[in-house]
């Protein structure tokens, strides 16, 4: 069995949750998101992040604004919407339930 594939699938499954959590604290540019995810040991490339951000925007969980940049093209800054905050709360509750269940199973046996 390929453990790398399993680990990658686990990381992908929580990426939306992590992105919404980060943007909930402050609006972010894509490179900011990548830096913060790397700090948390979740290495993500732009090719993975952009489709996910687009999906979250299309679902009305995120919005964005353009800001002119002094060193290049305008930057797109993402912020969480009210719908996104409600979704994040649901994900947080699900995460808490899941981690409690997994910890109970893995630590008690």
């Amino acid at each position: 069995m390929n453990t790398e594939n399993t680990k990658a699938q686990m990381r992908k499954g929580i990426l939306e949750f992590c992105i919404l959590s980060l943007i909930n604290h402050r609006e972010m540019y894509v490179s900011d998101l990548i830096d913060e995810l790397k700090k948390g040991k979740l290495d993500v490339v732009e090719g993975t992040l952009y489709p996910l951000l687009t999906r979250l925007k299309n679902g009305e969980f995120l919005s964005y604004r353009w800001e002119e940049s002094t060193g290049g093209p305008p930057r797109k800054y993402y912020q969480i919407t009210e719908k996104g905050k409600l979704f994040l709360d649901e994900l947080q509750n699900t995460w808490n339930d899941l981690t409690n269940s997994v910890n109970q199973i893995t630590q008690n046996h």
Side-chain angles (χ1 to χ4, degrees):
M1 179 170 267
N2 183 349
T3 58
E4 286 306 312
N5 184 49
T6 301
K7 290 191 288 189
Q9 291 301 317
M10 291 171 78
R11 284 191 296 271
K12 282 182 187 178
I14 60 167
L15 197 51
E16 277 185 14
F17 177 43
C18 292
I19 288 168
L20 288 171
S21 293
L22 288 169
I23 295 174
N24 189 45
H25 294 288
R26 65 180 172 92
E27 64 178 17
M28 300 185 93
Y29 177 62
V30 169
S31 64
D32 297 332
L33 277 169
I34 290 172
D35 290 345
E36 290 299 318
L37 291 167
K38 283 183 181 179
K39 285 180 191 175
K41 305 218 186 301
L42 285 175
D43 288 333
V44 178
V45 295
E46 288 182 14
T48 300
L49 198 53
Y50 278 113
L52 180 53
L53 289 168
T54 299
R55 192 167 69 242
L56 289 169
K57 188 224 170 264
N58 289 344
E60 300 177 348
F61 302 118
L62 294 178
S63 61
Y64 63 83
R65 66 175 181 82
W66 289 99
E67 184 174 301
E68 291 297 322
S69 171
T70 56
R75 293 180 171 188
K76 189 185 284 188
Y77 283 86
Y78 290 89
Q79 56 268 129
I80 195 166
T81 63
E82 285 305 312
K83 184 177 178 181
K85 289 178 183 186
L86 294 172
F87 184 54
L88 177 58
D89 286 344
E90 288 179 38
L91 292 177
Q92 182 67 59
N93 290 334
T94 300
W95 176 254
N96 291 342
D97 291 344
L98 182 61
T99 56
N100 287 337
S101 296
V102 170
N103 286 339
Q104 182 179 2
I105 291 167
T106 60
Q107 294 173 4
N108 290 337
H109 291 81

